[in-house]
Amino acid sequence: MSLDPYYRDRLSLFDGFSNTDRSAAGGTLDEAFQERLADYGDDGPWSPSSDVVITDEAVDGPHGTVPIRRYVPADPGGVALLWVHGGGFAAGTLDWPEAHVVSAELAARAGAEVVSVDYRLAEGTTRYPVPLDDVLAVWEQLDDERSAVPGARTAIGGASAGAALALAASLRSDRRADAVLLAYPFLHAAVPALPADVLAEMAVLPDFMRFPTESIDWMVENYVGRLEDVPELALPGIVPVTPDRPPLSVLLSEFDDLRPSGELLIAASEAAGAPVRSRLEPGVLHGHLNRHPVAPGVSPSLDWLADGLRAMGNHAG
């Protein structure tokens, strides 16, 4: 496959920009670059289904209150999902498409209640395990809520760094998830290289759309505070897989330097005899769910994730 023309044709917006000259004084993004970036990500208007009720709430956590956003469809089934956005542990909000659009679409498509969590971001003195503590606090409250619902099923999931937080929370908690859904996960401090043919296709991408070793190292060090002796639950791809793991769904982006991280987890799950399903979304880049459903690959990916949630409901009770 090749990079989808929808994305490839927009790369010309960044002609003349590099990682060194796209920043203005003080480390902020150059205004012209910000405008190009907005144009690149403009997929047109989107609005959530009128059948989904959206409310902003908060959960008490060990480091203070944790904002959440709850999405409840008109006819909720017995399934709920805790969803965690990505952003390299250092960025992201409840308004990001990867949080807001994904949550609203999954609620509508799967008929499931979805809770999106605005965990504390890693910066300065805020590091692991603070973001994980926030996610875990919301997960355990959601589990408490669902425990009173006969036949209820509860899943946890996330995208990129949020996938690491979701998987780590499922491993750390004594509240077992009924399923784990991960989108283009970042789960390892050291990520193997992609095949040569994929790397050749990705050569057209500007530097800031790639994840070279130095970029991965920055994310790890910013989150953990070091590159050596990284705790297992910080990047939980190294935690040994056992056959009794909850059913796992892993969505991958084809043109993504972090794709091998998800592939390692898929292979480890298959080798251990743990339940796993996977999908490689062709022609898309890392973070493709941070766009609107009209963008290539987004709606099929959302449908695939929704299928995993609907399957949980079919086996409820």
Side-chain angles (χ1 to χ4, degrees):
M1 295 293 292
S2 59
L3 188 63
D4 191 284
Y6 184 89
Y7 303 111
R8 179 185 285 272
D9 292 349
R10 295 182 178 208
L11 295 179
S12 61
L13 288 165
F14 303 111
D15 289 349
F17 288 95
S18 70
N19 272 2
T20 54
D21 65 18
R22 67 191 177 97
S23 295
T28 59
L29 290 180
D30 177 84
E31 183 176 348
F33 178 79
Q34 289 188 67
E35 292 176 355
R36 304 289 180 90
L37 197 62
D39 289 341
Y40 176 80
D42 184 5
D43 300 316
W46 171 89
S47 58
S49 168
S50 59
D51 292 333
V52 176
V53 176
I54 303 172
T55 56
D56 287 325
E57 305 170 23
V59 169
D60 291 332
H63 309 287
T65 58
V66 183
I68 65 171
R69 186 168 291 167
R70 193 183 299 266
Y71 301 76
V72 181
D75 185 19
V79 174
L81 167 70
L82 175 63
W83 183 254
V84 190
H85 68 74
F89 304 105
T93 72
L94 292 178
D95 294 324
W96 267 23
E98 197 175 71
H100 183 53
V101 175
V102 169
S103 296
E105 289 287 338
L106 290 180
R109 296 177 189 226
E113 177 181 342
V114 181
V115 173
S116 178
V117 54
D118 193 18
Y119 56 90
R120 287 167 175 78
L121 301 175
E123 52 83 23
T125 58
T126 301
R127 290 197 167 106
Y128 172 87
V130 172
L132 177 56
D133 290 343
D134 284 350
V135 173
L136 189 63
V138 179
W139 167 248
E140 294 189 341
Q141 172 163 309
L142 182 60
D143 183 76
D144 286 342
E145 293 172 1
R146 305 297 293 173
S147 65
V149 180
R153 311 280 283 177
T154 311
I156 189 169
S160 192
L165 291 168
L167 180 59
S170 74
L171 294 171
R172 181 173 148 187
S173 179
D174 59 2
R175 322 287 186 89
R176 177 181 170 85
D178 292 301
V180 177
L181 280 62
L182 309 180
Y184 38 85
F186 171 39
L187 304 171
H188 299 82
V191 180
L194 285 163
D197 59 333
V198 181
L199 288 173
E201 178 69 18
M202 292 174 66
V204 300
L205 298 177
D207 292 346
F208 63 87
M209 290 186 176
R210 300 291 303 274
F211 291 92
T213 299
E214 56 268 26
S215 175
I216 294 172
D217 286 350
W218 183 89
M219 290 189 292
V220 174
E221 188 167 17
N222 180 65
Y223 178 40
V224 180
R226 59 186 185 275
L227 292 174
E228 303 295 331
D229 299 319
V230 175
E232 280 190 334
L233 289 183
L235 280 303
I238 62 171
V239 177
V241 179
T242 56
D244 60 346
R245 283 258 187 113
L248 174 67
S249 296
V250 183
L251 171 69
L252 303 173
S253 305
E254 184 177 18
F255 296 103
D256 176 8
D257 291 294
L258 298 180
R259 186 180 111 193
S261 183
E263 292 173 333
L264 286 173
L265 179 61
I266 294 167
S269 300
E270 292 173 341
V276 59
R277 62 194 282 265
S278 62
R279 175 183 175 88
L280 177 64
E281 194 62 57
V284 302
L285 306 174
H286 182 89
H288 69 275
L289 293 184
N290 215 10
R291 307 191 70 111
H292 292 175
V294 296
V298 176
S299 193
S301 293
L302 292 169
D303 283 340
W304 186 80
L305 292 171
D307 285 344
L309 292 175
R310 282 193 295 268
M312 290 172 55
N314 293 338
H315 291 93

